[in-house]
Amino acid sequence: MEWSLESVREMVAGGMQSIRECEICAFAIAMCVLLLFMWYCYRVGQEHGSSPLRGRYLAGPGRIGGVVGGFMSSDCRARGKGKHRSLLEEQNGFAFCQSSECFRCTSAGESLNQRLYHSLQDYAKRYTWSGMGRVHKGVRDQGRYLNSRPTIQRPEVFFLPDLPSAPFFSREVQRHDVELLEQSFPALLAEFESIYHQPPARSGSSLPPGWKANSTPRGQWWTYYLVNQGTPLVLNVRRCPRAWRVLGQLRTFIANNVFGNACFSVLTPGTLVTEHYGPTNVRLRCHLGLRVPPSCELVVGGEPQCWSEGSCLLFDDSFLHRAFHEGGAEDGPRVVFMVDLWHPNVAAAERQALDYIFTPGRLEDKEGK
């Protein structure tokens, strides 16, 4: 083959043309992959977009009225069952109310393990098994985990294995949400005052509208829920627009499953909340002190701590815990704003799976099929 300047030019030109053609093909392939990825994100967003707290309510009280229907079904079921409604009027899920409306009181036992596994399989078929190692391990061996746990930490419903645990956690593990809550202290305190000093909801009751009385051996423990076991209480939310706005700004609030709660909690002087366990170790319970008189204490896993006004206290309520207010009538009530946040070591993929498995109503519906 004879080499000449002309033949070299032709070879270089041909090579450049081939490169340009390959670039066009590669660009086209990349655009197709990008479009497929955007379509997938859109589909996932459509399936989960109606569920998150901030998507439904963050716009404020005006938005709430437009979606009340999304929650009226559970409310109407409670009204339709007079017996269960009367139980819920006086107690709530944290006080072993024995109501069929309470997830914690009705979901224990072997049937729950089977329903958990079926829900996990449904999730994996729709999405992926990737990142589900601990969740799968926990669901598969749930009975063994719950029965073999030491008495100091024994969640009643679901235990996620290999999760670091301690009775109390540093505020740094959820720094953004802790700081946001503490900055909102004046607004939350003012909103508490507005709902606490309302006249009784009905004759013969000492409870203002929206408040629930919990079972205690002595004293009074009242709660005012904005979110109870993953379900917003619309009438209460309407009375507390600023508190609801704060919840919508939290990054780690458990808004989409039965382990998520947010409420104002009141202990009157002389009240004792007896030792009990929470339902799971995947959450941290956060108490923002609003009113903290002397002689009030929270004991978790044998470790005592005191609340402080305007400061947050983070603890794992799957540990055995109790609270008491030993002050006198002149001290007034102890008041905290309580929210459930994700444990910092629960990964994003695990959170999504747990939201799916423990969506309010999902496990109960499976039992009825």
Side-chain angles (χ1 to χ4, degrees), residues 223-262:
T223 45
Y224 186 94
Y225 278 90
L226 302 179
V227 179
N228 188 11
Q229 297 183 356
T231 300
L233 304 186
V234 178
L235 294 179
N236 288 2
V237 167
R238 283 177 173 169
R239 301 185 190 110
C240 300
R242 286 175 290 181
W244 185 259
R245 207 169 294 123
V246 171
L247 289 178
Q249 295 171 356
L250 298 177
R251 293 177 180 173
T252 60
F253 174 53
I254 302 178
N256 302 318
N257 70 54
V258 297
F259 299 133
N261 303 273

Short mmCIF file of all heavy atoms in Angstrom, two decimals, residues 223-262:
data_model
loop_
_atom_site.label_atom_id
_atom_site.label_comp_id
_atom_site.label_asym_id
_atom_site.label_seq_id
_atom_site.Cartn_x
_atom_site.Cartn_y
_atom_site.Cartn_z
N THR A 223 -53.64 13.61 75.98
CA THR A 223 -52.92 13.78 74.71
C THR A 223 -53.84 14.42 73.68
O THR A 223 -55.05 14.15 73.66
CB THR A 223 -52.42 12.43 74.16
OG1 THR A 223 -53.46 11.45 74.25
CG2 THR A 223 -51.20 11.94 74.92
N TYR A 224 -53.24 15.23 72.83
CA TYR A 224 -53.96 15.90 71.75
C TYR A 224 -53.21 15.58 70.46
O TYR A 224 -52.17 16.16 70.16
CB TYR A 224 -54.00 17.41 71.99
CG TYR A 224 -54.84 18.19 71.00
CD1 TYR A 224 -56.17 18.50 71.27
CD2 TYR A 224 -54.31 18.64 69.79
CE1 TYR A 224 -56.94 19.23 70.38
CE2 TYR A 224 -55.06 19.35 68.89
CZ TYR A 224 -56.37 19.65 69.20
OH TYR A 224 -57.14 20.37 68.29
N TYR A 225 -53.74 14.62 69.70
CA TYR A 225 -53.03 14.11 68.54
C TYR A 225 -53.29 14.93 67.29
O TYR A 225 -54.44 15.23 66.95
CB TYR A 225 -53.44 12.65 68.27
CG TYR A 225 -52.70 11.67 69.13
CD1 TYR A 225 -53.21 11.29 70.37
CD2 TYR A 225 -51.48 11.15 68.72
CE1 TYR A 225 -52.52 10.41 71.17
CE2 TYR A 225 -50.79 10.26 69.53
CZ TYR A 225 -51.31 9.90 70.75
OH TYR A 225 -50.62 9.03 71.54
N LEU A 226 -52.21 15.23 66.58
CA LEU A 226 -52.31 15.72 65.21
C LEU A 226 -52.19 14.56 64.22
O LEU A 226 -52.85 14.54 63.19
CB LEU A 226 -51.22 16.76 64.93
CG LEU A 226 -51.21 17.99 65.85
CD1 LEU A 226 -50.07 18.92 65.48
CD2 LEU A 226 -52.54 18.71 65.80
N VAL A 227 -51.31 13.62 64.56
CA VAL A 227 -51.16 12.38 63.79
C VAL A 227 -51.15 11.23 64.79
O VAL A 227 -50.36 11.23 65.73
CB VAL A 227 -49.85 12.37 62.97
CG1 VAL A 227 -49.70 11.05 62.21
CG2 VAL A 227 -49.80 13.54 62.00
N ASN A 228 -52.05 10.27 64.59
CA ASN A 228 -52.13 9.11 65.48
C ASN A 228 -51.97 7.84 64.66
O ASN A 228 -52.78 7.56 63.79
CB ASN A 228 -53.48 9.10 66.22
CG ASN A 228 -53.51 8.03 67.31
OD1 ASN A 228 -52.48 7.43 67.65
ND2 ASN A 228 -54.68 7.77 67.84
N GLN A 229 -50.86 7.12 64.89
CA GLN A 229 -50.56 5.89 64.18
C GLN A 229 -50.63 6.08 62.67
O GLN A 229 -51.24 5.32 61.94
CB GLN A 229 -51.49 4.77 64.65
CG GLN A 229 -51.31 4.45 66.11
CD GLN A 229 -52.17 3.29 66.60
OE1 GLN A 229 -52.97 2.74 65.85
NE2 GLN A 229 -52.01 2.92 67.85
N GLY A 230 -50.00 7.16 62.21
CA GLY A 230 -49.87 7.41 60.79
C GLY A 230 -51.04 8.10 60.13
O GLY A 230 -50.99 8.40 58.94
N THR A 231 -52.11 8.36 60.87
CA THR A 231 -53.31 8.98 60.30
C THR A 231 -53.52 10.37 60.89
O THR A 231 -53.67 10.50 62.10
CB THR A 231 -54.56 8.12 60.58
OG1 THR A 231 -54.37 6.83 59.98
CG2 THR A 231 -55.80 8.76 59.98
N PRO A 232 -53.53 11.41 60.07
CA PRO A 232 -53.80 12.76 60.58
C PRO A 232 -55.24 12.86 61.10
O PRO A 232 -56.16 12.30 60.51
CB PRO A 232 -53.60 13.66 59.35
CG PRO A 232 -52.76 12.86 58.42
CD PRO A 232 -53.15 11.43 58.64
N LEU A 233 -55.42 13.58 62.20
CA LEU A 233 -56.74 13.86 62.75
C LEU A 233 -57.13 15.26 62.29
O LEU A 233 -56.65 16.26 62.82
CB LEU A 233 -56.73 13.76 64.28
CG LEU A 233 -56.24 12.41 64.84
CD1 LEU A 233 -56.39 12.37 66.35
CD2 LEU A 233 -56.98 11.25 64.22
N VAL A 234 -57.99 15.31 61.30
CA VAL A 234 -58.21 16.53 60.54
C VAL A 234 -58.74 17.67 61.40
O VAL A 234 -58.29 18.81 61.29
CB VAL A 234 -59.15 16.25 59.35
CG1 VAL A 234 -59.43 17.53 58.58
CG2 VAL A 234 -58.54 15.20 58.44
N LEU A 235 -59.70 17.37 62.27
CA LEU A 235 -60.26 18.45 63.10
C LEU A 235 -59.21 19.04 64.03
O LEU A 235 -59.15 20.26 64.22
CB LEU A 235 -61.45 17.92 63.90
CG LEU A 235 -62.67 17.49 63.09
CD1 LEU A 235 -63.77 16.97 64.01
CD2 LEU A 235 -63.20 18.66 62.26
N ASN A 236 -58.36 18.19 64.59
CA ASN A 236 -57.29 18.68 65.45
C ASN A 236 -56.27 19.49 64.66
O ASN A 236 -55.75 20.51 65.13
CB ASN A 236 -56.59 17.52 66.15
CG ASN A 236 -57.45 16.89 67.23
OD1 ASN A 236 -58.58 17.29 67.44
ND2 ASN A 236 -56.92 15.88 67.90
N VAL A 237 -55.97 19.05 63.45
CA VAL A 237 -55.02 19.76 62.61
C VAL A 237 -55.52 21.16 62.29
O VAL A 237 -54.77 22.13 62.28
CB VAL A 237 -54.77 18.96 61.31
CG1 VAL A 237 -54.05 19.80 60.27
CG2 VAL A 237 -53.96 17.70 61.60
N ARG A 238 -56.81 21.28 62.04
CA ARG A 238 -57.38 22.59 61.73
C ARG A 238 -57.21 23.58 62.88
O ARG A 238 -57.07 24.78 62.67
CB ARG A 238 -58.87 22.45 61.41
CG ARG A 238 -59.14 21.89 60.03
CD ARG A 238 -60.63 21.70 59.83
NE ARG A 238 -60.94 21.32 58.47
CZ ARG A 238 -62.13 20.89 58.08
NH1 ARG A 238 -63.11 20.76 58.97
NH2 ARG A 238 -62.35 20.57 56.83
N ARG A 239 -57.23 23.07 64.11
CA ARG A 239 -57.07 23.94 65.27
C ARG A 239 -55.61 24.30 65.52
O ARG A 239 -55.33 25.18 66.34
CB ARG A 239 -57.65 23.28 66.51
CG ARG A 239 -59.14 22.92 66.41
CD ARG A 239 -59.66 22.37 67.74
NE ARG A 239 -61.00 21.81 67.62
CZ ARG A 239 -61.30 20.52 67.70
NH1 ARG A 239 -60.32 19.65 67.90
NH2 ARG A 239 -62.55 20.10 67.58
N CYS A 240 -54.68 23.60 64.88
CA CYS A 240 -53.24 23.81 65.15
C CYS A 240 -52.46 23.99 63.84
O CYS A 240 -51.59 23.18 63.51
CB CYS A 240 -52.67 22.62 65.92
SG CYS A 240 -53.44 22.33 67.52
N PRO A 241 -52.75 25.02 63.08
CA PRO A 241 -52.08 25.18 61.78
C PRO A 241 -50.58 25.39 61.89
O PRO A 241 -49.82 24.92 61.05
CB PRO A 241 -52.77 26.41 61.17
CG PRO A 241 -53.33 27.16 62.35
CD PRO A 241 -53.71 26.12 63.36
N ARG A 242 -50.12 26.07 62.94
CA ARG A 242 -48.68 26.32 63.06
C ARG A 242 -47.93 25.04 63.42
O ARG A 242 -46.85 24.76 62.88
CB ARG A 242 -48.43 27.41 64.11
CG ARG A 242 -48.79 28.81 63.62
CD ARG A 242 -48.65 29.85 64.71
NE ARG A 242 -49.67 29.70 65.75
CZ ARG A 242 -49.80 30.49 66.81
NH1 ARG A 242 -48.95 31.50 66.97
NH2 ARG A 242 -50.76 30.29 67.68
N ALA A 243 -48.51 24.24 64.31
CA ALA A 243 -47.87 22.96 64.65
C ALA A 243 -47.82 22.06 63.43
O ALA A 243 -46.82 21.36 63.19
CB ALA A 243 -48.62 22.28 65.79
N TRP A 244 -48.89 22.08 62.64
CA TRP A 244 -48.92 21.24 61.45
C TRP A 244 -47.87 21.69 60.44
O TRP A 244 -47.22 20.87 59.78
CB TRP A 244 -50.31 21.28 60.83
CG TRP A 244 -50.43 20.35 59.67
CD1 TRP A 244 -50.37 20.67 58.35
CD2 TRP A 244 -50.59 18.93 59.74
NE1 TRP A 244 -50.50 19.53 57.59
CE2 TRP A 244 -50.63 18.46 58.41
CE3 TRP A 244 -50.71 18.03 60.80
CZ2 TRP A 244 -50.79 17.11 58.11
CZ3 TRP A 244 -50.87 16.69 60.50
CH2 TRP A 244 -50.91 16.25 59.17
N ARG A 245 -47.68 23.00 60.33
CA ARG A 245 -46.68 23.53 59.42
C ARG A 245 -45.28 23.07 59.85
O ARG A 245 -44.43 22.74 59.01
CB ARG A 245 -46.77 25.05 59.39
CG ARG A 245 -46.28 25.68 58.09
CD ARG A 245 -46.66 27.15 58.02
NE ARG A 245 -48.09 27.35 57.95
CZ ARG A 245 -48.79 28.08 58.82
NH1 ARG A 245 -48.18 28.66 59.83
NH2 ARG A 245 -50.09 28.21 58.68
N VAL A 246 -45.03 23.05 61.14
CA VAL A 246 -43.74 22.58 61.65
C VAL A 246 -43.53 21.12 61.28
O VAL A 246 -42.44 20.72 60.83
CB VAL A 246 -43.65 22.78 63.18
CG1 VAL A 246 -42.41 22.09 63.74
CG2 VAL A 246 -43.63 24.26 63.53
N LEU A 247 -44.56 20.29 61.46
CA LEU A 247 -44.43 18.87 61.12
C LEU A 247 -44.07 18.70 59.65
O LEU A 247 -43.28 17.82 59.29
CB LEU A 247 -45.74 18.13 61.42
CG LEU A 247 -46.10 17.92 62.89
CD1 LEU A 247 -47.44 17.22 63.00
CD2 LEU A 247 -45.02 17.12 63.61
N GLY A 248 -44.66 19.51 58.79
CA GLY A 248 -44.39 19.40 57.37
C GLY A 248 -42.97 19.77 56.99
O GLY A 248 -42.48 19.39 55.92
N GLN A 249 -42.28 20.51 57.85
CA GLN A 249 -40.90 20.92 57.57
C GLN A 249 -39.87 19.96 58.14
O GLN A 249 -38.68 20.09 57.84
CB GLN A 249 -40.68 22.32 58.14
CG GLN A 249 -41.52 23.39 57.46
CD GLN A 249 -41.46 24.73 58.18
OE1 GLN A 249 -40.85 24.84 59.24
NE2 GLN A 249 -42.10 25.74 57.62
N LEU A 250 -40.30 19.00 58.95
CA LEU A 250 -39.35 18.04 59.53
C LEU A 250 -38.90 17.05 58.46
O LEU A 250 -39.71 16.54 57.68
CB LEU A 250 -40.01 17.29 60.69
CG LEU A 250 -40.45 18.14 61.89
CD1 LEU A 250 -41.15 17.26 62.93
CD2 LEU A 250 -39.26 18.85 62.51
N ARG A 251 -37.62 16.73 58.45
CA ARG A 251 -37.07 15.83 57.43
C ARG A 251 -37.26 14.36 57.79
O ARG A 251 -37.33 13.51 56.89
CB ARG A 251 -35.58 16.11 57.24
CG ARG A 251 -35.27 17.47 56.64
CD ARG A 251 -33.76 17.69 56.56
NE ARG A 251 -33.44 19.01 55.99
CZ ARG A 251 -32.22 19.51 55.93
NH1 ARG A 251 -31.19 18.80 56.41
NH2 ARG A 251 -32.01 20.70 55.41
N THR A 252 -37.32 14.04 59.07
CA THR A 252 -37.32 12.63 59.47
C THR A 252 -38.57 12.23 60.24
O THR A 252 -38.60 11.18 60.87
CB THR A 252 -36.07 12.31 60.33
OG1 THR A 252 -36.09 13.13 61.51
CG2 THR A 252 -34.80 12.57 59.56
N PHE A 253 -39.61 13.05 60.20
CA PHE A 253 -40.87 12.69 60.85
C PHE A 253 -41.48 11.47 60.15
O PHE A 253 -41.53 11.41 58.93
CB PHE A 253 -41.84 13.86 60.81
CG PHE A 253 -43.21 13.54 61.34
CD1 PHE A 253 -43.37 12.98 62.60
CD2 PHE A 253 -44.34 13.80 60.59
CE1 PHE A 253 -44.63 12.68 63.10
CE2 PHE A 253 -45.61 13.51 61.07
CZ PHE A 253 -45.75 12.95 62.34
N ILE A 254 -41.92 10.49 60.93
CA ILE A 254 -42.53 9.29 60.36
C ILE A 254 -43.99 9.62 60.04
O ILE A 254 -44.87 9.53 60.90
CB ILE A 254 -42.44 8.10 61.33
CG1 ILE A 254 -40.97 7.81 61.68
CG2 ILE A 254 -43.08 6.85 60.73
CD1 ILE A 254 -40.77 6.69 62.67
N ALA A 255 -44.23 10.00 58.79
CA ALA A 255 -45.54 10.50 58.41
C ALA A 255 -46.41 9.47 57.73
O ALA A 255 -47.62 9.67 57.59
CB ALA A 255 -45.38 11.70 57.47
N ASN A 256 -45.83 8.34 57.28
CA ASN A 256 -46.56 7.47 56.37
C ASN A 256 -46.79 6.05 56.88
O ASN A 256 -47.18 5.18 56.10
CB ASN A 256 -45.82 7.40 55.03
CG ASN A 256 -45.65 8.76 54.42
OD1 ASN A 256 -46.56 9.57 54.44
ND2 ASN A 256 -44.47 9.03 53.89
N ASN A 257 -46.52 5.76 58.14
CA ASN A 257 -46.83 4.42 58.64
C ASN A 257 -47.32 4.48 60.08
O ASN A 257 -47.31 5.54 60.71
CB ASN A 257 -45.62 3.48 58.47
CG ASN A 257 -44.46 3.80 59.39
OD1 ASN A 257 -44.61 3.87 60.61
ND2 ASN A 257 -43.26 3.98 58.83
N VAL A 258 -47.77 3.35 60.58
CA VAL A 258 -48.47 3.30 61.86
C VAL A 258 -47.57 3.61 63.05
O VAL A 258 -48.08 3.79 64.17
CB VAL A 258 -49.13 1.92 62.08
CG1 VAL A 258 -50.19 1.65 61.04
CG2 VAL A 258 -48.07 0.80 62.07
N PHE A 259 -46.26 3.70 62.84
CA PHE A 259 -45.37 4.01 63.94
C PHE A 259 -45.18 5.52 64.13
O PHE A 259 -44.46 5.94 65.03
CB PHE A 259 -44.00 3.36 63.73
CG PHE A 259 -44.06 1.85 63.66
CD1 PHE A 259 -43.39 1.16 62.65
CD2 PHE A 259 -44.79 1.13 64.58
CE1 PHE A 259 -43.45 -0.22 62.58
CE2 PHE A 259 -44.86 -0.26 64.51
CZ PHE A 259 -44.19 -0.93 63.51
N GLY A 260 -45.80 6.32 63.29
CA GLY A 260 -45.64 7.76 63.37
C GLY A 260 -46.75 8.45 64.13
O GLY A 260 -47.94 8.22 63.85
N ASN A 261 -46.39 9.28 65.10
CA ASN A 261 -47.35 10.03 65.90
C ASN A 261 -46.81 11.43 66.15
O ASN A 261 -45.60 11.67 66.17
CB ASN A 261 -47.59 9.35 67.26
CG ASN A 261 -48.06 7.93 67.14
OD1 ASN A 261 -49.25 7.66 67.03
ND2 ASN A 261 -47.13 6.98 67.16
N ALA A 262 -47.74 12.35 66.37
CA ALA A 262 -47.37 13.71 66.79
C ALA A 262 -48.50 14.23 67.67
O ALA A 262 -49.67 14.14 67.29
CB ALA A 262 -47.17 14.62 65.59
#
